[in-house]
Amino acid sequence: MAQRIQGMEDLLGDSMRSWQTMVERSRALFETYGFEMIETPALEQLGTFVHGIGESTDVVRKEMFRAFSGALLEDIFARGSEEGLKPRQRMALRPEGTAGVARAVVEHNLAPQGASPAKLWYAGAMFRGERPQKGRLRQFHQVGVEFFGAADPLADAQVIVMFMDVLKAFGFESTDVKLRINSMGDAACRPAYREQVRSFILEHKEKMCDDCLERAELNPLRAFDCKNPACRIVMEDAPRVDDHLCDECDTHYQQVKAYLDRAGIAYEEDSRLVRGLDYYTRTVFEVDVCGAEDVGAIGGGGRYDGLVELTGGKPTPGVGFALGFERIVLALESLGKSLSGDAATGVYVACADSELTAEAFSLSLELRRAGIRTELDSQGRSLKSQFKQADKLGACLCIIVGADEMKNNAVTVRDMESHEQELVQRDDIVAYLTERLA
Ligand code: HAM
């Protein structure tokens, strides 16, 4: 039997309804902040991610699904190497949305310097080749926003407030979630800080795991994220980024916090919050759900002032975030909440006599065109099994088309819960149902 790939889920029923609710509530909120939706391709040139996200990140080194056309793959197998492929022949499925959106901003000149900023949001599937486990999938869904062209701390604060507002729209109370923030410095102060952390790791190398020793060379700040208990103890005493910020980064960070205070947003400062993508500069943030920490962060983001330049554009600041749909569903579940709502109910047109099928068909068209959700038997069921089917589909009313009713130019309306029946004139049925369903 054909099977889906492990770690890649079908969205159907409740999960599809939840995803649609999440997208619609996001749309409603993001539009009030003046953000426009963008859809970028799921497949991009490999370089878009490698340059944007960073060669030394786990996402790029270990987790990207790379893609080649069939002919190219045969060519690579035959030659035993990718050597000689043109950049446009190396592709990957997007592991996240920011790098692709930055590519689109550059390609379409969406945030020309000195002109208005580009405020974009997106919703879609992302792909990471991870070991599937709770809250960690190979294909997952994100809703994200990217704000290009604003360097002011006010932009960071607006994006963070928007992040917290959308969580509220999903049903989280402010006491359910924990926002952590940090500043990672910029090109002026981070290199020296990185070097200090690298030296610190090497000074304690006998206590650190092999991964952290590798990180020391590639990306030492990632050692703060190591899950190994021994490494965590050592990193408790590592140099803290807040002691190494340059004046500009420090001022920026203080202003972001002042705006968050003004907006009444509660946050925790976490100098060990480093995030897994290299493009971040200055502000970074992440949200966990209290009591659902095992799910992992439900969303995160930050400022990325160098990303557009890395993508080949003119220097353009930016800040944004993304939320993970599957983790949000798990976190809401742990709080006894859900995004799925009930499947929409409607009416069922039942046909008491097979000779009247065409009448039932016409009635169902009329009801649907009037905006009433309508189901109709298309398998020649008996009246009894049509009632059963109506129940199964959650219809609240059954409209029975029968010979006696037809003689009186009427239909019978049956309440599926009380089983009470009422005769309604055929010409009045749309108005009757519209009122009753409202
Ligand atoms: P990220 O922290 O890598 O950031 O991902 C954002 C969210 O996506 C995570 O907090 C998590 O909820 C979800 N997520 C990530 N990986 C998985 C996975 N394998 N399975 C299930 N859910 C997952 C970014 O992607 C950045 N692009 C966010 C951003 C936007 N920063 C600035 N702008």
Side-chain angles (χ1 to χ4, degrees), residues 96-98 122 128 130 135-137 140 142 145-146 275 277 279-280 297-302 304 320-324 327:
E96 55 100 58
T98 314
Y122 51 88
R128 296 187 192 175
E130 306 198 71
R136 198 168 287 280
L137 296 162
F140 57 99
Q142 284 187 345
V145 311
E146 312 296 351
R275 308 272 301 136
L277 312 160
Y279 49 60
Y280 290 113
I298 56 167
Y304 41 78
F321 66 77
L323 295 153
R327 291 191 190 178

Side-chain angles (χ1 to χ4, degrees), residues 156-164 179 181 256 260 283 285:
D156 310 45
Q158 280 187 56
V159 161
I160 297 175
V161 175
M162 204 168 149
F163 184 78
M164 301 311 281
L179 167 68
I181 62 169
V256 172
L260 292 180
T283 316
F285 51 92

Side-chain angles (χ1 to χ4, degrees), residues 40-280:
T40 59
L43 196 62
E44 295 262 4
Q45 287 187 23
L46 181 71
T48 299
F49 304 120
V50 174
H51 302 140
I53 296 169
E55 229 156 332
S56 64
T57 57
D58 283 353
V59 171
V60 165
R61 288 175 58 229
K62 304 180 187 161
E63 295 169 4
M64 266 198 310
F65 286 109
R66 299 182 54 180
F68 306 94
S69 70
L72 275 178
L73 261 187
E74 279 183 19
D75 205 31
I76 294 167
F77 282 134
R79 283 188 293 152
S81 128
E82 285 176 38
E83 292 274 302
L85 288 188
K86 299 185 177 72
R88 66 180 160 77
Q89 293 175 314
R90 296 164 180 244
M91 294 166 273
L93 282 171
R94 60 181 179 199
E96 55 100 58
T98 314
V101 175
R103 193 266 314 135
V105 164
V106 172
E107 203 167 326
H108 305 287
N109 195 23
L110 296 181
Q113 283 176 319
S116 59
K119 294 158 80 173
L120 304 164
W121 76 277
Y122 51 88
M126 309 291 158
F127 307 85
R128 296 187 192 175
E130 306 198 71
R131 199 166 58 80
Q133 50 195 292
K134 187 175 179 185
R136 198 168 287 280
L137 296 162
R138 289 178 171 157
Q139 175 174 340
F140 57 99
H141 295 78
Q142 284 187 345
V143 166
V145 311
E146 312 296 351
F147 186 171
F148 291 89
D152 200 280
L154 188 65
D156 310 45
Q158 280 187 56
V159 161
I160 297 175
V161 175
M162 204 168 149
F163 184 78
M164 301 311 281
D165 280 358
V166 83
L167 290 180
K168 205 184 286 169
F170 297 158
F172 290 104
E173 307 283 334
S174 50
T175 46
D176 294 334
V177 293
K178 193 166 70 190
L179 167 68
R180 290 175 297 127
I181 62 169
N182 190 22
S183 173
M184 303 206 26
D186 64 5
C189 52
R190 194 159 54 196
Y193 174 62
R194 260 175 79 116
E195 189 45 41
Q196 288 213 11
V197 176
R198 191 182 83 90
S199 306
F200 176 87
I201 296 172
L202 295 179
E203 277 162 30
H204 297 82
K205 65 178 177 199
E206 67 293 343
K207 294 191 197 133
M208 307 285 290
C209 70
D210 289 345
D211 272 352
C212 280
L213 295 181
E214 197 188 11
R215 286 179 185 123
E217 296 311 328
L218 288 170
N219 198 347
L221 303 192
R222 296 299 301 156
F224 283 111
D225 248 7
C226 184
K227 303 284 174 275
N228 183 322
C231 298
R232 290 184 87 94
I233 293 171
V234 175
M235 292 306 287
E236 286 283 313
D237 297 324
R240 292 163 57 108
V241 67
D242 37 354
D243 295 330
H244 294 81
L245 293 180
C246 59
D247 288 348
E248 287 77 7
C249 285
D250 190 45
T251 307
H252 186 99
Y253 188 41
Q254 300 309 327
Q255 288 178 343
V256 172
K257 287 189 287 178
Y259 281 125
L260 292 180
D261 293 338
R262 197 183 173 90
I265 300 286
Y267 56 85
E268 213 172 83
E269 288 182 66
D270 179 357
S271 64
R272 291 181 176 81
L273 175 63
V274 286
R275 308 272 301 136
L277 312 160
D278 268 1
Y279 49 60
Y280 290 113

